Amino acid sequence: MTGTIANPYMEVMFEGINPRTFSFTFKMIPRNAKEQVTIRDIVKQFKFHQAPEVRFAGQSNYWLFPSEFDITFLYKGAENPWIHKISTCALTDVQVEYTSEGQYTSHNDGSPFSTILTLEFTET
């Protein structure tokens, strides 16, 4: 009647794939002062390696790339064949939460009772 017919085919334009992202969350509760210092150092290291470094002091237009990470899941000292492999990643987000129980609580020295560290990585 109208001289038209429905097209049974779909046309899709492939523009590439987005890099995969992975998020890991760690809840750390220290048992003593030494472990509290270790947790603080772990958080500082991840925050440091997330950001790019300035190449030349006093010049903000030269930057070095941020650190890259090779993530491997281990089982009994060897790579776990049951968990997917992740290629080289960059740390794209670091979130630190000191209120894991809904409110901030601390020890007598002011150090937090617990720390939740969330790391987000993006494959390069």
Side-chain angles (χ1 to χ4, degrees):
M1 182 171 185
T2 63
T4 60
I5 187 167
N7 184 357
Y9 303 104
M10 181 187 313
E11 192 171 311
V12 178
M13 188 74 137
F14 179 74
E15 295 181 2
I17 56 173
N18 293 328
R20 295 187 301 176
T21 60
F22 302 94
S23 190
F24 300 96
T25 301
F26 304 93
K27 183 173 184 178
M28 300 175 282
I29 302 174
R31 292 177 289 189
N32 53 45
K34 183 179 178 185
E35 288 184 0
Q36 184 62 47
V37 171
T38 302
I39 290 170
R40 183 185 63 199
D41 292 344
I42 289 170
V43 170
K44 281 183 178 181
Q45 284 294 315
F46 277 114
K47 285 185 165 218
F48 173 81
H49 287 285
Q50 175 194 9
E53 290 184 60
V54 175
R55 175 72 172 133
F56 302 109
Q59 295 181 354
S60 62
N61 55 347
Y62 293 100
W63 297 83
L64 296 175
F65 289 109
S67 300
E68 292 182 335
F69 296 83
D70 291 316
I71 300 170
T72 307
F73 298 97
L74 301 178
Y75 177 71
K76 294 187 177 180
E79 189 170 345
N80 190 335
W82 294 98
I83 299 179
H84 64 278
K85 296 184 186 311
I86 300 175
S87 66
T88 302
C89 295
L91 181 59
T92 55
D93 191 22
V94 175
Q95 295 180 16
V96 184
E97 183 181 346
Y98 299 110
T99 58
S100 63
E101 308 304 323
Q103 64 182 23
Y104 179 77
T105 54
S106 66
H107 295 284
N108 291 337
D109 64 352
S111 61
F113 177 73
S114 66
T115 303
I116 296 178
L117 177 65
T118 302
L119 306 171
E120 186 164 323
F121 295 92
T122 302
E123 282 186 328
T124 58

